[in-house]
Amino acid sequence: MEEEHKITRDIYGMPAFVTFTVTDLERTVDWYVNGLDFVDLFRLPGLAHLRRWRYQDILVRVGAAPSKGEWTYSIMADADDLEALAERARAHGGGQVEGPSDTPWNTRDVRVTDPDGYTVVYTARRPEAERDAAFSAMMQREASRQLGI
């Protein structure tokens, strides 16, 4: 596992993070910690700070969860870990799990939805041998065009 692809309990300034308002803090923490590889970094009354890899933080607070719209948080993953992650989340139960599945843009994703309806997409670059060569070539041509090459 690469150095930046590990769980850390370091305290550092976060450039961005997501906050999920949930109806049942313990149920939600259980889903992310025991089903999805997050750690329960710290707690305050009515609030939990969850973390997976560096800069993959979720603040969870108790309140009325939103009832409209789709909330999706995308985070980076390793392609080799996605199958085990999906199996673990399915075995844990309590949420929905889709994938792993390949996208037309050369990623492999696992999409999980927690009990309050928030969606987290674990996305990884597909291994080289499994990428769509036509898509990669199109992207290379577009990058060259934009750079005037």
Side-chain angles (χ1 to χ4, degrees), residues 5 23-24 35 52-53 67 69 73 84 90 92 108 114 118 128-129 135 137 142:
H5 296 171
T23 56
D24 184 329
R52 189 168 170 263
W53 295 347
S67 60
Y73 181 45
R90 284 186 185 100
H92 179 273
R108 180 164 295 143
D114 74 16
Y118 294 103
E128 185 76 36
F135 178 82
E142 180 60 20

Side-chain angles (χ1 to χ4, degrees), residues 12-124:
Y12 52 81
M14 293 180 291
F17 59 89
V18 65
T19 300
F20 292 165
T21 304
V22 302
T23 56
D24 184 329
L25 185 68
E26 294 308 318
R27 175 189 68 189
T28 300
V29 169
D30 180 57
W31 167 249
Y32 285 97
V33 171
N34 295 313
L36 297 171
D37 283 343
F38 280 78
V39 295
D40 189 351
L41 191 62
F42 72 82
R43 298 276 190 112
L44 295 171
L47 176 88
H49 183 153
L50 308 178
R51 177 175 296 153
R52 189 168 170 263
W53 295 347
R54 190 170 186 85
Y55 304 119
Q56 294 182 347
D57 296 75
I58 300 174
L59 295 183
V60 181
R61 68 181 186 90
V62 175
S67 60
K68 296 186 185 218
E70 183 176 324
W71 296 81
T72 302
Y73 181 45
S74 296
I75 60 176
M76 189 176 93
D78 285 327
D80 295 339
D81 298 335
L82 290 177
E83 188 66 45
L85 178 76
E87 287 177 21
R88 179 179 172 186
R90 284 186 185 100
H92 179 273
Q96 298 173 342
V97 182
E98 299 172 34
S101 55
D102 291 343
T103 69
W105 46 90
N106 284 335
T107 65
R108 180 164 295 143
D109 296 352
V110 169
R111 184 181 186 90
V112 297
T113 304
D114 74 16
D116 286 287
Y118 294 103
T119 299
V120 175
V121 177
Y122 291 78
T123 189

